[in-house]
Amino acid sequence: PTLILDPQGSMRGLVALLPATRRIAAASASSRAAFPSAGAPRRASSVAAPAGGITIRYFDSRGRAQALRYALVDSGLEFKDDKVAISHIISGNWFNMKNNVAVSGLWGTLPILQWGETQVAQTEAIAGFLYNVLGHDASGVGGPAAAAASASLTSLGHQDVIVLCLQLVNMVGVMQHAKDEELAQNVQGVQVRLNAFLPRIETLATKRMDLDKYLVLDTPTMGDYYIFEACQVVSLVLGSQVLEGYPGIKAFIDKMQARPAMSAYIASGNRPLTLTGSPHEPGIIQKLQGLPKL
């Protein structure tokens, strides 16, 4: 059977559970890495960590939460990156964890942000919260327009690109015995949707890179982190050639990766290797990239 980890933590994407011989009773095998500031902080304004600290909790995968991790890393604040191990899904222990509000919040889903005494659930709600508490428009120069622009880019990167790619990987995992022609039609359908977005992102990125600015303001906002991750995910799933012919997007990716804290984090090996967390993902992506494209 193929195990595909549900990126939202609701189990809807879990298409087949490997036989579980026992529940994991020991402490979580989650990776809890604290990231101190690496390089210069992202902005001059001082952002204080809350009493009680900061924890971002998600599966040991990139999924919906990787852009949130980038924003925290780039803030210069120390935080705990609590990665829920795939073993909890395989064993069935995740069903217990879902019922623990302290672990998976009111809705029983991940990601969850714990900011001191405040718990925030749902991906884009967390993104909006971090936009404010990390001071993405600390000077107030952008005002509501900048907040709206960042939220729009966050939604585009998250819902229209990252989730689309997650669904594609899940779909190919489910359709193990489908003919290549049938799988290719689904891949091409995703490409059609992406082709509607990438030229628009390219136009914005080119304009802003020419001004030596980020997509919304002079420093990154949540929208930048989500578009950055969305472009990385497209390359991961469909191959780097998908971004050929988009020099503005490539310049934007290079600009984000060159930020000291981001560069150190990516080089550290602490970023999850897979999009879904499934042990079958490398084979699925290899199959995807071998299918005919548009």
Side-chain angles (χ1 to χ4, degrees), residues 8 15 20 52 56 60 66 69 77 89 100 105-106 114 131 141 152 159 182 194 207 232 242 246 260 274 283 287 289:
Q8 185 70 359
V15 299
I56 184 75
D60 190 5
Q66 188 56 45
R69 293 179 178 126
L77 295 176
I89 303 293
N100 185 340
L106 288 174
Q114 193 70 44
Y131 177 94
V141 66
S152 176
Q159 294 290 347
E182 185 178 357
L194 289 175
K207 178 181 177 181
Q232 298 262 293
V242 174
Y246 294 112
T274 64
K287 186 173 185 65
Q289 295 186 4

Side-chain angles (χ1 to χ4, degrees), residues 84-124:
V84 177
I86 188 70
S87 56
H88 288 290
I89 303 293
I90 296 172
S91 70
N93 191 44
W94 173 239
F95 287 104
N96 294 330
M97 298 172 74
K98 278 173 64 66
N99 291 324
N100 185 340
V101 174
V103 173
S104 59
L106 288 174
W107 317 123
T109 62
L110 300 180
I112 288 291
L113 174 70
Q114 193 70 44
W115 185 274
E117 296 300 314
T118 301
Q119 186 187 76
V120 187
Q122 296 294 312
T123 306
E124 291 181 32

Side-chain angles (χ1 to χ4, degrees), residues 203-217:
T203 298
L204 174 62
T206 299
K207 178 181 177 181
R208 298 296 290 179
M209 294 307 101
D210 286 346
L211 296 172
D212 194 26
K213 298 181 184 296
Y214 292 89
L215 299 183
V216 179
L217 296 170

Side-chain angles (χ1 to χ4, degrees), residues 35-38 41-42 47 50 53-57 65-82 112-115 126 129-131 133-134 136 222 225 261-262 265:
F35 295 101
S37 174
R42 66 181 305 282
V47 178
I54 305 165
T55 298
I56 184 75
R57 182 175 299 110
Q66 188 56 45
L68 304 173
R69 293 179 178 126
Y70 289 142
L72 288 166
V73 164
D74 207 20
S75 73
L77 295 176
E78 185 174 309
F79 72 98
K80 182 184 290 185
D81 188 9
D82 189 0
I112 288 291
L113 174 70
Q114 193 70 44
W115 185 274
I126 297 171
F129 181 86
L130 290 178
Y131 177 94
V133 297
L134 296 180
H136 285 185
M222 280 309 311
Y225 298 114
M262 294 279 283
Y265 168 67

Side-chain angles (χ1 to χ4, degrees), residues 30 61 84 278:
S30 306
S61 63
V84 177
S278 167

